[in-house]
Structure formats: structure tokens, C-alpha cells
Amino acid sequence: MLNNNGKAAGLVLGLVLVAVSDVGCGTDTSTGDGGGQFSPIDAEVATFWDRQTTETAEFLATIVDEFNEATDGFPVKVVRSGNYGDIYRKVTASIQARTLPAMAVAYESMTAEYARSGAVVAIDDFFANPETGLSEEDLADFFPALIETNTFADFGGKMYSFPFSKSVLMLYFNKRVLAEAGLTDPPATWDEFLDQCRTIKTKTGKYALAIDVDASTMDGIIFSMGGSVFEDGKTTFDSEESIRAFQLIETLATEKLAYQITPRTFNDESDFQQDKIAFTMRTSAGKASLARLMEDPDAWGMARLPQADPGDPHTVLFGSNICIFDTTGEQRDAAWAFTKYFTSTEVSVKWALSTGYLPSRKSALDHPDMDTFFSQWEYNRAPFDSLAFAKAEPNVLGWQRVRSLIENAETEVLTGVKGARQAAVDLKEKADRALAAAQ
Amino acid sequence: MKRPRDTRLAVMLLTPAFAVLGVFGVGPLFYAIYMSFFRMVRGGGKTFIGASNYSEALTSEEFWNSFFVTFYYALGVVPVTIVLSFFIAAGLFRATRFRGLLRTLFFLPYVTSVVASAMIWRVLLDPSAGVANHLLRVAGLSTQNWLLEPKGALSILSGGVIDIGVGPSLALCCVIAFDIWISSGFMVVVLLAGLSAIPREIEEAARIDGASWWQSARNVTLPLLSPTLMFLAIVSLIRAFQAFSSFFALTGNGRGPLDTTQNMTVYLYANFYEYGRLGYGAAVAVLLCVALAALTIVQWRAFGRKVYYR
């Protein structure tokens, strides 16, 4: 019979096995299927992991169907796989399992992690093929910022992803709430923005803004203050522009001009629709959802982000790119064929008109359908104008970790745990340390 | 004396279990320990670095934060759930009407999907539109940020007298409350089974001797229930140290506001799957299991001898 010590020892061994077993399962072993380094999750179709929901997801599925019919080649199947974070976690787990889809949507910071794993293929390698590639003219037709953001200096300056559903950060305004406060036009500068927020609070008793804590939005505010977030291998969160961005958040919180929403709930959109707030900061892709909620197009609008200097405007480029994984040759080719098809001028225009995402090609702006689109609603052109001065976030290794730190700093300021200056200075120190650790 | 045929049968019956344990338990365990001595970044090869991952973890503010989050969580969930479940089970055991219905109602949270339940709790605790804040407003109290609040619950309760960094954050307290609600159903069922196994005549004898309900519970029921309570304490402590799904489902990323809900499992997961730091993640897993083993031994030594086995 076991005594107490024996039972304890047995129990401890059991615990050790349970606690550590899931970690030890993650090993690196190549399947070596004769194609790429990874096995496809479905050998019969090129699976595409995407995040779109509702009508946008349906429209994407339609585009995929049209592609499959038009090409009559290796078919593509789009699979809704959660939000960007979920897809990133799925992909990283799948890299461990050596089994991947043909392609997936990803932010640049995620692509950098995939590239380090050797899981993604360089898109540039597809360009050279005279039949299936892209000519110099074609490439020049893409907005330069979209090419730049997909080019990874850490990995030989190659493109490891291709623009897919890009958008820019915008300020949405509720005309009914503005009118209640006696305001007519949206603010052009951050000073005007704060003045309007105070007026709204005083005259209506309402919050002016709902904040969804988000790293890209914070970066966008820093850009619009005239700052940057990364220069010469180091972050620049301690710059005066960055501190001013955090001070803006601090003022909004301490004067109770804004409140924080639960992440991923999009409660700001429902509060916007119910006239509980005057402003929300979302990407241009959020237009479709707000249009559905607001119904009356005269009740709201969207404008470029307020600026520190309206003469030298900046905003942040949002949205995802497509990564093509190193699976089999036919999967890779099908993924590239779809990517090329999707970013063609015709499809690009259709996608932009239906979803609020921006076309990746300049020629799309000359398309006759775009003129009609611009004339349908006075604010339709605003995101396209912002695209000209949109800046991409860094795509360096470790930025994924920095994004969490940015969101923590924003939360610190919003909840009063730290002052704006201290949070910004601490953020710089932590972010630089995280980037160094990721190398 | 054992016959050779018995030995062969024993080996035959035990082999599948040992094979499964070896492949999915012992093998990964030793591989995790091996990994923890390397700098392994996903796709970045591996370099032997000795115990550097351990020293990094043990000097990392984030690691200790995750340790204290785990500690506060275990401290909040385990004793409260056991005490609460004991009283519920004692009440249900004596209930004469609607016993089946009540038992089902208490067990329902345990069999409901954690993710589905968490979604409901998120709605209830939403700062702008949730029922919790609505009730506070009706009562004339100040509203709270609940799952978005990184400040310590003690600081909020004391009106800022206690520093905001002391004790669990309000967000973590919400996770603790959620898991108490979820796991009490399981404990109630186990305790009911334990109570059913106690001979009624012993309690009746105590009552005839003039013992009050509390005296009877303290001196008769609890000692006879102690093996069940010990089992529940150990199992729930292990579960508390391995908790993940409720953290993830309630906060969206497990980390919560300012990482105040990032327990050791979430920290391990983040390093392993989000930041691709495989060696460091393995070291954190080993430290987690050492902490768990040490706590279990302490628990066993402190309470094991007080368990009454009939």
C-alpha cells in the first residue's frame, strides 16, 4: 500500500506530465512532400483563411466562385477563420504542425513572423513568369505605400505578402449629435476636435467618442500628430508627437469626453447609431457596417483623421495582405493566380465599391464606376484622398509584441494608471527591449 | 505468489496505457525540459544557452506578474468555490421539494460551454450597456469598467486608499467570479455524492445528543467528508493553475487590461504561439509545473493528515 509520500510523489509525477505535455508536443519536423516545406491542409483545393464577415464575406465568396469558374484550374476555397489574431494563432500553430493552407490574410507584423519560420514564399518570385507574372507597368500601377508595406527589409527586401483588403483610419461623425451641440462640420485639427468634444459634453451631456483600444489606431493618431513610431531600428514613442497623441487620450479620459468599449464588441458602432456619441475612429472599411446601421445617409459622414498640421496630413494604413505559404507547387500557383485576379483593376473596383476597402491599383480610380460611386455620397471620396498620405506601420520582427505594448500603454493612460508622458516613455523602453529580444 | 500468466496479462493490459503516457506525456515532458535549455525562436534555429531562459523568466516582471495573477486566481477560486459548494450541497441534500430541479440548475453552468457562458458574462459586464452597471446606477453607485479595469479591486473598494497595484485587478476578480459560478456545479455534485455516503445514523445520533446543525456539520459531517474535500481541493488547485479558456473567452486575448489577467498558462501560450519564443515558453511551462508540484506537496503535507478515512 502506498503511504502519503508515495501518493504525493505519484500525484506530482501526474501533474508534471499534464502541465508540460502540451508544450513538448510542438516539435520541428519537416514532412518533405516533394513540393514546399509544408503539407497543404486540403490537397484538393487551395484553402484561403480569411476574416471577413457578413456581406463582405459573401461578396468575397462570390469573387472566389467567379475566379474558379473563370480559370477552370486548381480551385480556391475561402474559409472564415476568425479575426486577424485568431488567424495568426492558427497559422503559428499550423506552422508547428507543418500543415498550412495555401494562403491567409495577415498584418505585416504577422507576416514577418511567418517569414522567419520560412513558411511564406516571396511574392516577387511570381512576378517574373511571362504568362502568370506581373509586368513592370502592372507593378507601377499599385499604390507605392501598398508595395512598400509588403516589402520586408529584415528578409532581403523581398515581398512576402501582397495587398489584399487595405483601408485607412477615418473619423466618422454623427450629424444628429453634432447638430444637438450646435456644430456642423467635423474637426480638421486635434485642437478643434477637443473643442468639439467639450462642446458636445457641455451641451448634450453625451460622450463625444467611444474608444476601442487598438495599436494601429494609436499609431494613426501619432502619425497625424506628425510623428513616427519607428526610425533607425528603434521605436520613437518618446517623441513629442507621440507624447501629444497619448496626452490627447489622457484629456479625453480625464475630462470624461470618451469612454472605452469592450474590445471586439464594436459597441461604438451601435452607440453611434443610437446617437449616444458624436465620433468614432474606424477604418474606411467600417463604412459598410455603419451605413447599414445608420440607414439615413444624411445623418452621418466620414472625414479624414484630425491633424496637428492639416497642411501636412498623415493617417495610418490599415488592413491585411495575402501571404502565400510554402506548400505544394499547384497550391502556391493557385494562390498567386487568385491574388493576381483579386488585385486586377476590375475586381479591385468591384471589391472597393461593395466593401469600403480601397482598391490597390491607381488605375481603379479612373474606372467609370468609381466616378458614379463618388457622386453617390459626398463622403465616398474621403478615404481615397486619405490613401495618398497614409503611412504603413513597421513590418519588422517583434512588432507583433510591440502592438500589445502599445495597447497596454493606451490602457494605462485611459484608466489613469499612468500619465501620458510616463506611459509613452515607458512604452519606448519596453518596445525597444521587445524588438531586441525578437531578433 | 504471482503466476507468470498473471504477469503477462498485467504487462499486456498496461502496455497501451504506458505507450500513450510515453508518447503524449513522458516524451513531451522530457522534450520540453530539453527545449527549455535552448534559445529556440520559431524559424530561427536553436542555440544552447544553458539556464538562461530560466534566469530570464525569474527576473522578468511579466513572469512574476503572471505568477501572482495565477496565485490570486487560485486563492480566489479554490476556497470560495469549496465553501460555497459545501453550503449549497448541504442545503440541497436536505431539500425535500424540487430537489432534482435545483440540482440540475446548479449543475447547468458546469455543462454549459465556457465560451458561450463567457459571452453572456461579457454582455452583462459591458461598461456602457451591461446589466451590472445598470444595477449600480439604479442603486446610486458609481459604475465600473469590470473586465476592462486594470486597477486593483481593493483599491476601488477602499476608494483609492490602497494602491492600485495591490491585489487582483477588478478584471481578474470578474474572471474569478465567473469560474466560481462555473465550477461550483461540479463541486456540488461531488459533495452531494460524499454526503450521501455518510451514514445517516451518525448524524442522527449527534442530533439526539443535542448537537446543533453547525456542531453536527463541524464535528460529524465535515470530518467524514474530508476525503471528498481533499480530492476537490487538489483537483481544483490543479485546474486553477491550468485555467485558460475562461481567461481567453472573457478578455478576448487572455491578457486583459494591462496584462492583469495574464496567468502563467496565458503567458506560456503567448510566448509559445504569439511571440514564437519556444525555448522560453518551455522554460515557463517547466516552472509552472514545478510551482504546481510544490504547492500540491504543501497542500498534501498540510491537510493530508487531517483527512479522516473510514
Side-chain angles (χ1 to χ4, degrees):
Chain A
M1 186 188 278
L2 283 172
N3 59 20
N4 273 3
N5 288 343
K7 286 178 191 169
L11 192 62
V12 166
L13 179 64
L15 298 176
V16 166
L17 295 179
V18 170
V20 188
S21 58
D22 65 335
V23 169
C25 286
T27 61
D28 279 303
T29 49
S30 179
T31 54
D33 62 354
Q37 297 181 62
F38 297 83
S39 302
I41 58 167
D42 188 338
E44 304 300 317
V45 293
T47 306
F48 174 26
W49 282 355
D50 182 60
R51 69 153 294 276
Q52 301 300 332
T53 55
T54 62
E55 290 94 338
T56 316
E58 285 170 24
F59 189 66
L60 179 61
T62 309
I63 292 177
V64 169
D65 288 343
E66 285 170 3
F67 165 78
N68 287 333
E69 279 172 28
T71 55
D72 199 25
F74 197 78
V76 169
K77 183 175 88 175
V78 63
V79 176
R80 160 66 170 126
S81 304
N83 60 36
Y84 290 119
D86 295 333
I87 293 172
Y88 173 67
R89 283 186 284 272
K90 281 181 75 168
V91 169
T92 50
S94 300
I95 289 172
Q96 291 300 112
R98 313 299 294 178
T99 303
L100 284 163
M103 54 188 153
V105 289
Y107 287 142
E108 293 82 350
S109 54
M110 298 167 178
T111 305
E113 302 290 339
Y114 304 158
R116 176 162 65 181
S117 306
V120 282
V121 294
I123 305 288
D124 320 49
D125 296 346
F126 293 107
F127 296 163
N129 189 309
E131 283 179 28
T132 60
L134 281 178
S135 66
E136 287 295 323
E137 269 178 28
D138 276 330
L139 275 172
D141 191 27
F142 284 86
F143 288 100
L146 303 188
I147 297 293
E148 183 193 329
T149 191
N150 287 291
T151 305
F152 291 80
D154 283 347
F155 300 98
K158 289 202 157 200
M159 287 185 79
Y160 277 96
S161 50
F162 208 68
F164 174 59
S165 47
K166 306 305 285 188
S167 53
V168 288
L169 184 62
M170 304 294 293
L171 180 74
Y172 290 90
F173 54 95
N174 182 319
K175 289 183 181 175
R176 291 190 292 246
V177 180
L178 288 184
E180 266 185 74
L183 301 165
T184 48
D185 296 321
T189 66
W190 285 115
D191 289 340
E192 278 177 36
F193 176 76
L194 274 180
D195 286 344
Q196 289 199 1
C197 289
R198 288 176 181 130
T199 306
I200 290 158
K201 181 82 181 173
T202 309
K203 295 203 172 166
T204 69
K206 292 176 180 175
Y207 284 103
L209 174 76
I211 295 178
D212 188 9
V213 170
D214 174 67
S216 297
T217 304
M218 201 62 225
D219 287 347
I221 298 174
I222 294 170
F223 292 163
S224 69
M225 292 286 183
S228 62
V229 293
F230 185 77
E231 279 173 17
D232 304 325
K234 298 272 183 196
T235 63
T236 52
F237 292 114
D238 59 344
S239 68
E240 281 308 309
E241 293 86 358
S242 171
I243 290 168
R244 275 205 293 278
F246 282 103
Q247 282 169 338
L248 172 77
I249 300 293
E250 188 174 41
T251 307
L252 289 168
T254 52
E255 294 186 21
K256 297 194 184 305
L257 304 174
Y259 64 91
Q260 186 189 351
I261 62 160
T262 305
R264 299 184 185 189
T265 58
F266 291 89
N267 281 349
D268 56 328
E269 293 187 353
S270 50
D271 288 350
F272 188 86
Q273 184 254 332
Q274 291 166 28
D275 299 341
K276 289 182 180 172
I277 50 171
F279 303 113
T280 185
M281 281 184 268
R282 286 279 174 198
T283 78
S284 51
K287 188 202 124 189
S289 159
L290 279 173
R292 194 171 53 248
L293 284 170
M294 295 299 285
E295 291 177 353
D296 178 6
D298 295 328
W300 63 293
M302 60 177 162
R304 76 179 185 190
L305 208 58
Q307 303 289 321
D309 176 7
D312 182 21
H314 299 285
T315 189
V316 67
L317 193 61
F318 257 81
S320 63
N321 311 296
I322 289 185
C323 288
I324 298 177
F325 295 109
D326 191 14
T327 56
T328 63
E330 57 185 2
Q331 296 254 342
R332 289 194 301 263
D333 290 344
W336 167 245
F338 175 73
T339 305
K340 188 182 166 188
Y341 173 81
F342 187 86
T343 52
S344 65
T345 303
E346 281 297 318
V347 179
S348 203
V349 167
K350 270 168 48 177
W351 178 244
L353 297 183
S354 299
T355 64
Y357 283 110
L358 301 171
S360 44
R361 284 174 181 260
K362 289 181 254 179
S363 57
L365 298 182
D366 302 326
H367 196 281
D369 289 353
M370 294 304 287
D371 287 335
T372 316
F373 174 69
F374 291 149
S375 64
Q376 281 170 345
W377 194 49
E378 62 179 306
Y379 305 107
N380 272 345
R381 184 178 274 281
F384 296 85
D385 293 339
S386 290
L387 186 57
F389 50 80
K391 284 168 68 172
E393 292 171 274
N395 60 13
V396 294
L397 269 172
W399 198 258
Q400 193 59 22
R401 173 73 186 119
V402 174
R403 289 178 62 83
S404 309
L405 296 172
I406 296 169
E407 287 169 3
N408 276 358
E410 188 182 357
T411 306
E412 282 172 341
V413 175
L414 262 178
T415 54
V417 171
K418 277 185 189 169
R421 184 171 290 273
Q422 190 61 50
V425 170
D426 290 352
L427 170 61
K428 189 238 177 339
E429 189 193 324
K430 286 179 190 170
D432 284 344
R433 221 169 35 224
L435 289 178
Q439 297 307 311
Chain B
M1 197 175 125
K2 276 184 188 168
R3 289 172 299 174
R5 209 175 61 180
D6 289 345
T7 309
R8 277 202 301 276
L9 183 65
V11 168
M12 203 174 75
L13 291 172
L14 285 172
T15 300
F18 275 123
V20 170
L21 264 178
V23 172
F24 297 107
V26 180
L29 160 67
F30 285 108
Y31 191 69
I33 295 171
Y34 166 79
M35 283 168 70
S36 70
F37 293 108
F38 288 85
R39 184 179 188 276
M40 286 175 75
V41 180
R42 192 182 300 115
K46 65 182 179 191
T47 317
F48 180 77
I49 53 168
S52 293
N53 282 327
Y54 290 97
S55 59
E56 184 188 339
L58 293 172
T59 54
S60 156
E61 194 184 324
E62 216 177 345
F63 171 82
W64 285 109
N65 171 61
S66 71
F67 175 81
F68 281 110
V69 167
T70 310
F71 177 73
Y72 289 138
Y73 172 80
L75 200 66
V77 168
V78 178
V80 174
T81 314
I82 290 177
V83 171
L84 185 71
S85 303
F86 173 73
F87 283 108
I88 294 170
L92 284 177
F93 190 66
R94 279 164 181 77
T96 50
R97 301 180 68 189
F98 308 118
R99 185 190 282 191
L101 175 70
L102 289 170
R103 286 183 183 191
T104 307
L105 285 177
F106 279 107
F107 195 57
L108 263 181
Y110 186 70
V111 293
T112 308
S113 151
V114 171
V115 177
S117 304
M119 290 304 112
I120 304 293
W121 274 62
R122 276 178 69 152
V123 173
L124 295 175
L125 296 174
D126 187 273
S128 56
V131 172
N133 271 353
H134 178 71
L135 293 175
L136 287 179
R137 270 191 289 269
V138 169
L141 299 169
S142 57
T143 56
Q144 299 297 332
N145 276 333
W146 303 115
L147 286 161
L148 304 179
E149 184 57 78
K151 289 179 186 161
L154 295 174
S155 174
I156 293 167
L157 284 172
S158 67
V161 175
I162 298 173
D163 187 78
I164 53 172
V166 174
S169 68
L170 183 60
L172 180 58
C173 289
C174 294
V175 180
I176 289 171
F178 174 77
D179 271 329
I180 289 171
W181 175 72
I182 287 275
S183 47
S184 58
F186 168 73
M187 287 207 186
V188 165
V189 169
V190 174
L191 286 169
L192 276 171
L195 286 169
S196 306
I198 297 173
R200 302 299 295 267
E201 59 267 25
I202 301 177
E203 286 182 323
E204 282 165 9
R207 221 165 294 139
I208 289 167
D209 288 342
S212 64
W213 178 86
W214 173 242
Q215 284 172 322
S216 170
R218 186 164 168 260
N219 299 309
V220 178
T221 312
L222 277 175
L224 291 174
L225 205 56
S226 57
T228 309
L229 292 171
M230 184 69 184
F231 162 75
L232 287 176
I234 289 175
V235 168
S236 55
L237 185 76
I238 294 167
R239 287 184 51 184
F241 267 72
Q242 295 176 334
F244 180 81
S245 50
S246 51
F247 284 79
F248 209 87
L250 279 171
T251 64
N253 59 12
R255 293 191 288 271
L258 301 187
D259 299 342
T260 56
T261 66
Q262 179 172 260
N263 68 359
M264 287 178 78
T265 319
V266 172
Y267 182 57
L268 185 165
Y269 174 86
N271 275 284
F272 211 82
Y273 288 106
E274 291 188 29
Y275 313 141
R277 304 186 66 203
L278 310 186
Y280 183 75
V284 173
V286 172
L287 288 172
L288 169 65
C289 110
V290 167
L292 187 50
L295 265 173
T296 310
I297 290 170
V298 168
Q299 200 178 17
W300 194 270
R301 296 250 167 178
F303 304 109
R305 289 196 188 93
K306 292 179 184 165
V307 174
Y308 175 79
Y309 294 101
R310 277 185 291 132

